[in-house]
């Protein structure tokens, strides 16, 4: 299979990019739950087809188009691998605004996040840390399932709420990973 980019030469490729989703760029149906092996397979096929060596003897325009498309494919792949970025892409497809932490008005969510952060600060042992991470990862999985269900019904308000919760939970997990690194550094000193 060889990719013929000549068909794109008369098209304003920048206009295509404005409307292309990460899912479309990797020839996938928009969904939160993705088969990551399939994502990887599509990515690798496109990378192979758009590799610069394949365009070494082509026109400068075709070579530039291939480079631009490779950049888009790389960004699409990065987006789809990251749960928060993938959720953001779906929010955009659904026509939702992307909420940020400053707009979080849900007192239950804010209380939950404060609880997670307080628990994190009180961790004093490796077993406690492992249990904390296990519970947090379970909450993330539940949130991802809830986001998936909201996507299936296209409920914009629920999508936004689960997206915001997912952001907070993943941010807390990253803080927990940094927390254990700091604790390990203190113990090792």
């Amino acid at each position: 299979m060889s990719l013929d980019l000549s068909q794109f030469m008369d098209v304003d490729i920048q206009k295509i990019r404005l409307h292309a989703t990460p899912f479309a760029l990797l020839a996938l149906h928009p969904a939160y739950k993705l088969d990551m092996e399939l994502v990887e397979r599509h990515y690798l096929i496109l990378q192979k087809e758009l590799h610069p060596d394949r365009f070494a003897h082509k026109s400068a325009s075709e070579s530039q188009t291939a480079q631009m498309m490779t950049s888009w494919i790389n960004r699409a792949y990065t987006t789809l691998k990251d749960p928060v970025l993938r959720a953001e892409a779906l929010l955009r497809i659904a026509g939702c605004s992307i909420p940020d932490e400053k707009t979080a008005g849900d007192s239950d969510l804010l209380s939950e996040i404060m609880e997670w952060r307080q628990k994190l600060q009180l961790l004093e042992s490796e077993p406690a840390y492992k249990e904390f991470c296990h519970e947090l990862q379970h909450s993330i999985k539940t949130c991802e399932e809830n986001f998936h269900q909201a996507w299936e019904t296209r409920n914009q308000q629920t999508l936004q709420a689960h997206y915001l919760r997912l952001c907070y939970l993943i941010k807390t997990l990253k803080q927990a990973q940094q927390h254990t690194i700091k604790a390990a550094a203190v113990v090792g000193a």
Side-chain angles (χ1 to χ4, degrees):
M1 178 176 127
S2 182
L3 195 59
D4 178 15
L5 295 181
S6 62
Q7 62 189 350
F8 295 108
M9 294 306 113
D10 296 330
V11 175
D12 184 350
I13 201 99
Q14 290 299 337
K15 286 183 182 175
I16 292 173
R17 175 62 182 115
L18 292 174
H19 302 289
T21 70
F23 302 95
L25 288 167
L26 290 176
L28 298 164
H29 179 72
Y32 187 77
K33 287 184 179 180
L34 294 174
D35 176 347
M36 287 304 171
E37 289 180 16
L38 182 63
V39 172
E40 177 93 9
R41 195 166 42 248
H42 284 210
Y43 170 73
L44 292 174
I45 289 168
L46 288 166
Q47 284 295 78
K48 180 180 175 187
E49 290 299 316
L50 294 168
H51 194 277
D53 290 348
R54 296 180 71 102
F55 293 87
H57 302 292
K58 301 282 185 174
S59 72
S61 179
E62 284 180 294
S63 181
Q64 287 175 337
T65 299
Q67 286 177 334
M68 189 179 339
M69 290 176 78
T70 297
S71 173
W72 297 348
I73 298 301
N74 288 340
R75 266 186 264 139
Y77 180 65
T78 299
T79 297
L80 296 183
K81 282 184 14 180
D82 182 287
V84 171
L85 296 177
R86 185 170 61 248
E88 281 180 17
L90 290 169
L91 285 174
R92 285 187 186 93
I93 291 169
C96 297
S97 60
I98 310 293
D100 63 18
E101 293 177 19
K102 295 174 187 156
T103 62
D106 182 351
S107 60
D108 290 338
L109 174 60
L110 294 174
S111 294
E112 178 189 7
I113 297 308
M114 293 286 285
E115 263 184 56
W116 281 113
R117 292 189 177 158
Q118 186 176 26
K119 286 181 187 178
L120 176 60
Q121 295 304 314
L122 298 175
L123 293 177
E124 294 184 3
S125 69
E126 184 67 24
Y129 169 76
K130 286 181 180 180
E131 178 63 24
F132 173 85
C133 287
H134 177 74
E135 289 175 20
L136 184 54
Q137 288 169 339
H138 177 73
S139 290
I140 290 169
K141 292 284 183 217
T142 301
C143 186
E144 288 180 315
E145 181 60 37
N146 292 338
F147 185 92
H148 166 73
Q149 292 300 323
W151 170 254
E152 293 299 312
T153 62
R154 301 300 195 273
N155 183 320
Q156 291 187 351
Q157 187 175 3
T158 306
L159 276 169
Q160 290 172 314
H162 290 305
Y163 164 79
L164 196 53
R165 182 168 183 253
L166 182 64
C167 289
Y168 275 118
L169 292 173
I170 289 178
K171 182 177 180 180
T172 302
L173 182 61
K174 289 177 182 177
Q175 290 171 340
Q177 291 164 341
Q178 290 298 315
H179 181 80
T180 191
I181 292 168
K182 290 177 188 174
V186 170
V187 171

